[in-house]
Amino acid sequence: MIIMKFGGTSVEDAKAIKNLTEIVKKEIPRKPIVIVSACSGITNQLLQTANLAAEGKKEEALNLVAKIESHHKKIVKDLFDGDTQRFLTKHLASIAEELAALVNGVVVLGELTNRSLDTFASIGERMSSFIIHHYFESQKLKSFWVDARSFMITDDQFTKAIPQFDIIERKLREIVEPKVNNGYVVISQGFIGSTVNGVTTTIGRGGSDYSAAIIGALLNAEDIQIWTDVDGILSSDPSVVKDAKKIKVMSFNEAAELAYFGARVLHPETILPAVKKNIPVRVLNSKNPSSSGTLIVANPKTDKHCIVKSIAYKEGITMISIVSTRMFLATGFLENVFDVFHKYRTVVHTVATSEVSVSATIDNIKNLSHIIKELKQFATVTATDKKAIICIVGDNLRNTPGLAVRMLSAITDVNINMISQGASEINLSFVVDEDQVDDAVRRLHKELFANAGSFPEIFE
Ligand code: ADP
Ligand code: ASP
Ligand code: MG
């Protein structure tokens, strides 16, 4: 069995769905489970609808509902005729009614909770997957549509709910596996789930990759395929570096670091379930299916001379500097600092420390004022926003002297606020001003990938 996950651009219109269907057909002997995202842009529009409703802008919100409905109706019109077209058009209208009722509810209450936001957001995946299921059937595929909320059980941290693996495994074995074994192509949604009590949740933006990995790991899939709109994982974000190279093969560790530090192509949580079961992950291009994509495995064959695999970056970072002379030579300083971040459930991305100071970066500033207030009880604290982290990743970064010098000399005029090397030693990250990040990434790429052509087995 394999998992085939198709992202937003791979399901965006009738042409994309036809294309996806051809890709799935070729894999029928390997028993695919197909996991889809909402059509490109739809999740954003759904969240925008919710926010307009919360602001009391009912008419604008309902206009957006109509736009979302007509986007999907157009796909249905392009893909089907006759009874199926009528049936699906009615089905979409009833989901749009549900959405309009949600808008009314939020307008009346004047309040938008994360719980309601998840119900809004879930609609994109529900619409896209239902259309695709019917297209599969029209193409004589034996297709079985499952509502992911019947098996993707999560806790109730709405908008970033945590999947409950034990229950999910049991449900998958009950609901999904028998259908796969009976020769059905199972089609379901990424991103969405439900609490044990049946309340709709989502597992975080971009979370369909994670859904696919969870299902793949729990059902011991042979392969987890992430179909997207680029040829694979590239040596940097192609929207910044035009001549970024495709990476043919990389390690789980490298992919995890890249995802964590902002390479949107994979959701950061995706790799872990695959690592646990040692299931290869492939990133493939649905617009160019003959390309071999990027293969991510535990221990790829590697060339020790190839040091850097990719450069990722993450914007919207706030850097917090914490200095305490009182704590000089005292134990417990770091513990106190991290206790504060932990208390406010704020993830720290990078840290650099000395005996009396710590620099830390975060992107979730929801509780920043509380964090600063508490840190100020034992230290001098400054927080600066509009920063970006640049992260250079490669398994061979460890044991490679001189890289930092090469890197810094490529960007001598860029102000570097902080440098940190992760304990895994496969990433080197540093913090720069946000407005310098694109330029810095381009120059670093030019310097560090000048010899990429010498590694034809790694880059393409
Ligand atoms: P999907 O909707 O298929 O999940 P995403 O938009 O989430 O697609 O991710 C794919 C996008 O990630 C690409 O179009 C590309 O712009 C961006 N991206 C950022 N960094 C990288 C990278 N290192 N390699 C490939 N793509 C990247
Ligand atoms: N549709 C969701 C999002 O846009 C999940 C995904 O595409 O992975 O965040
Ligand atoms: Mg994505």
Side-chain angles (χ1 to χ4, degrees):
M1 174 214 302
I2 60 168
I3 310 295
M4 305 179 81
K5 178 261 168 176
F6 292 88
T9 45
S10 305
V11 303
E12 66 190 345
D13 54 19
K15 188 167 165 238
I17 291 172
K18 286 182 181 169
N19 199 22
L20 165 166
T21 308
E22 291 310 308
I23 294 171
V24 171
K25 274 184 190 165
K26 294 204 177 80
E27 294 283 27
I28 296 293
R30 298 176 75 202
K31 300 188 173 177
I33 296 178
V34 177
I35 301 298
V36 296
S37 292
C39 302
S40 181
I42 294 295
T43 309
N44 284 346
Q45 287 181 28
L46 287 163
L47 296 175
Q48 201 189 336
T49 305
N51 287 316
L52 286 168
E55 290 163 23
K57 296 177 180 158
K58 185 170 162 182
E59 214 179 294
E60 281 177 58
L62 292 177
N63 284 342
L64 210 44
V65 173
K67 190 173 161 196
I68 293 165
E69 184 184 358
S70 73
H71 176 90
H72 291 88
K73 278 188 175 162
K74 161 105 175 58
I75 299 180
V76 164
K77 200 161 156 262
D78 291 345
L79 289 178
F80 309 94
D81 42 32
D83 285 349
T84 317
Q85 191 192 94
R86 273 189 293 279
F87 165 75
L88 284 173
T89 305
K90 250 173 103 176
H91 179 79
L92 291 172
S94 76
I95 301 186
E97 263 172 43
E98 192 187 315
L99 189 53
L102 279 168
V103 167
N104 283 324
V106 172
V107 170
V108 170
L109 291 173
E111 186 193 43
L112 178 63
T113 59
N114 282 346
R115 176 176 165 149
S116 314
L117 264 180
D118 276 352
T119 306
F120 275 94
S122 70
I123 284 173
E125 270 72 7
R126 286 166 55 202
M127 285 181 160
S128 63
S129 62
F130 204 66
I131 297 172
I132 295 166
H133 159 66
H134 281 276
Y135 190 67
F136 282 177
E137 286 198 323
S138 76
Q139 296 302 297
K140 308 281 174 271
L141 289 182
K142 206 174 144 192
S143 175
F144 184 76
W145 181 87
V146 190
D147 189 326
R149 293 172 297 179
S150 66
F151 63 80
M152 187 57 71
I153 305 301
T154 69
D155 70 4
D156 62 358
Q157 294 183 55
F158 297 102
T159 72
K160 45 181 183 327
I162 305 203
Q164 309 294 298
F165 285 64
D166 291 355
I167 316 179
I168 298 170
E169 177 164 3
R170 189 159 39 80
K171 299 265 183 192
L172 283 170
R173 298 217 181 273
E174 252 168 56
I175 302 166
V176 173
E177 197 172 45
K179 292 291 175 187
V180 176
N181 290 340
N182 276 331
Y184 284 90
V185 174
V186 170
I187 165 151
S188 191
Q189 312 81 41
F191 180 52
I192 73 174
S194 126
T195 66
V196 274
N197 298 322
V199 183
T200 300
T201 56
T202 68
I203 60 171
R205 292 303 308 272
S208 293
D209 301 336
Y210 187 29
S211 303
I214 294 170
I215 299 164
L218 295 179
L219 289 177
N220 295 315
E222 281 167 45
D223 225 359
I224 298 168
Q225 303 179 351
I226 306 290
W227 290 87
T228 183
D229 62 349
V230 281
D231 275 349
I233 300 189
L234 308 179
S235 55
S236 196
D237 182 346
S239 65
V240 173
V241 179
K242 297 286 170 253
D243 60 345
K245 310 271 179 284
K246 188 192 91 180
I247 304 164
K248 289 183 177 172
V249 56
M250 67 196 307
S251 70
F252 283 135
N253 289 341
E254 289 170 327
E257 296 281 347
L258 278 181
Y260 186 65
F261 282 99
R264 191 182 50 179
V265 62
L266 265 193
H267 183 273
E269 313 276 6
T270 308
I271 294 297
L272 202 61
V275 172
K276 283 197 178 139
K277 293 279 179 81
N278 203 8
I279 301 172
V281 176
R282 272 169 226 279
V283 179
L284 296 150
N285 188 354
S286 67
K287 308 249 149 71
N288 182 19
S290 59
S291 164
S292 58
T294 297
L295 172 64
I296 309 166
V297 287
N299 294 306
K301 263 214 284 197
T302 173
D303 182 325
K304 70 178 190 315
H305 301 290
C306 174
I307 298 158
V308 179
K309 287 278 171 56
S310 191
I311 307 174
Y313 65 92
K314 198 175 194 143
E315 291 165 311
I317 296 293
T318 293
M319 192 171 81
I320 305 176
S321 304
I322 306 143
V323 182
S324 171
T325 41
R326 259 203 300 135
M327 296 300 290
F328 183 59
L329 291 182
T331 58
F333 175 46
L334 286 178
E335 190 182 348
N336 292 346
V337 168
F338 286 109
D339 273 353
V340 175
F341 287 106
H342 178 65
K343 180 172 167 191
Y344 291 101
R345 297 270 176 275
T346 300
V347 175
V348 173
H349 293 295
T350 45
V351 264
T353 64
S354 77
E355 203 156 17
V356 293
S357 74
V358 181
S359 299
T361 58
I362 60 171
D363 63 359
N364 175 2
I365 52 166
K366 198 171 136 221
N367 290 313
L368 184 60
S369 57
H370 298 291
I371 291 171
I372 292 177
K373 198 169 156 205
E374 293 211 14
L375 290 172
K376 276 191 170 163
Q377 288 172 12
F378 57 88
T380 308
V381 184
T382 45
T384 344
D385 63 355
K386 298 201 172 62
K387 298 287 174 192
I389 300 177
I390 298 179
C391 178
I392 294 178
V393 173
D395 275 340
N396 292 331
L397 236 66
R398 63 183 117 191
N399 317 322
T400 306
L403 183 74
V405 174
R406 246 177 91 194
M407 185 195 92
L408 295 175
S409 60
I411 48 170
T412 41
D413 50 344
V414 173
N415 183 25
I416 295 178
N417 304 124
M418 168 181 161
I419 301 189
S420 144
Q421 176 155 36
S424 64
E425 294 179 31
I426 69 160
N427 88 57
L428 190 65
S429 37
F430 49 100
V431 176
V432 300
D433 293 342
E434 212 171 55
D435 57 6
Q436 290 193 301
V437 69
D438 285 9
D439 182 42
V441 167
R442 271 185 219 115
R443 278 153 63 188
L444 284 165
H445 192 274
K446 199 165 169 214
E447 165 68 27
L448 298 174
F449 290 90
N451 65 346
S454 324
F455 308 109
E457 67 294 351
I458 297 175
F459 298 110
E460 193 174 293

